[in-house]
Amino acid sequence: MGLSRLRIVVLGMMGRSPFGGQTWLYLNWLRGLQRLGHDVWYVEDDTVWPYDPIRNTVTDDYRYAVRHIQRCLDRVGLSERWAYRLADRSDATAGLSETQLTELYRSCDLLLNIVGATALRDSHRAAPYRVYIETDPVTLELELARGDSWSPFDDHHVIATYGENYGAPDCGVPLGGRTYLKTRQPVDLELWPMAADPSPRCFTTIGNYRQEGKDVEYQGDIYRWSKHHEWERFLDLPKRLAQPFQLALQVDDDDRKRLEQCGWGVVPALEMSLDVFGRYQTYI
């Protein structure tokens, strides 16, 4: 394919999961590919119902998802280069018609399944070159090593991972003979600008505090997914430092109260606009 201008389809889930982290992950990929001069399209095309934060429910009403996608792509100059489809319904499309979306897959040079968010169907397989971008290494590899029979990797020509230590002598992740390319999360500095807080500096971060049901057991060890296991190791940190801490978290009331009692400032992540989210990410 060389370095010529490519038509690239980015498969994602920022409408399905309209949180700051997912949104910024995709926007940086889209902006980076766009700045390299490629013809970039963002597509959500699966059967998974989106989450609507206004109603706090998962629903087949995709209007919020579409508004979120449109608003975000307006921001990076891709206002007319996106599509959304709930694939188990004949009337649930936006951005492009079903015929246009089918043709987009056929005419693209490259399909990037970022986060592996989409289970590929025949329409996706019309794309001539398909890349799985693994942004959360290890868990899937452990599940496959335990004997899970179906692998989402199989529908792709290439696997690229954020697991930069894969294959190294000190890396124990079972790769099953697969070949991986190594990559990193792209960062557009205009979307992620340098900023400074007045003294005293306020340290910030953002994320989910507790996520159950995604731990993996492998060879007698439990590999944890939820961040709260690590948070609880240093809950008393704010009491040891003069600088304040401000967290933007998806967190339940009991965990939020516990964090606040230990001196952490907590803002519910769902209440944050993208601009506010960007400021939180800047100071990590």
Side-chain angles (χ1 to χ4, degrees), residues 80-99:
E80 306 299 327
R81 311 191 85 74
W82 63 272
Y84 180 93
R85 173 167 64 178
L86 275 181
D88 57 352
R89 285 177 44 183
S90 61
D91 60 341
T93 59
L96 294 177
S97 69
E98 292 201 14
T99 300

Side-chain angles (χ1 to χ4, degrees), residues 150-164:
W150 179 79
S151 168
F153 295 150
D154 294 342
D155 285 326
H156 301 80
H157 298 93
V158 172
I159 311 167
T161 182
Y162 287 6
E164 293 188 52

Side-chain angles (χ1 to χ4, degrees), residues 3-5 36 49-50 59 64 71 73 104 112 118-119 136 145 157-158 179-180 199 205 211 224 245 265 271 276:
L3 298 177
S4 60
R5 187 173 191 260
L36 289 173
W49 289 5
T59 174
Y64 183 91
R71 185 167 59 248
L73 295 191
L104 177 63
L112 299 180
T118 306
D136 292 300
H157 298 93
V158 172
T179 299
Y180 291 77
S199 183
T205 192
Q211 290 179 285
R224 305 290 185 185
F245 289 81
E271 296 179 6
V276 174

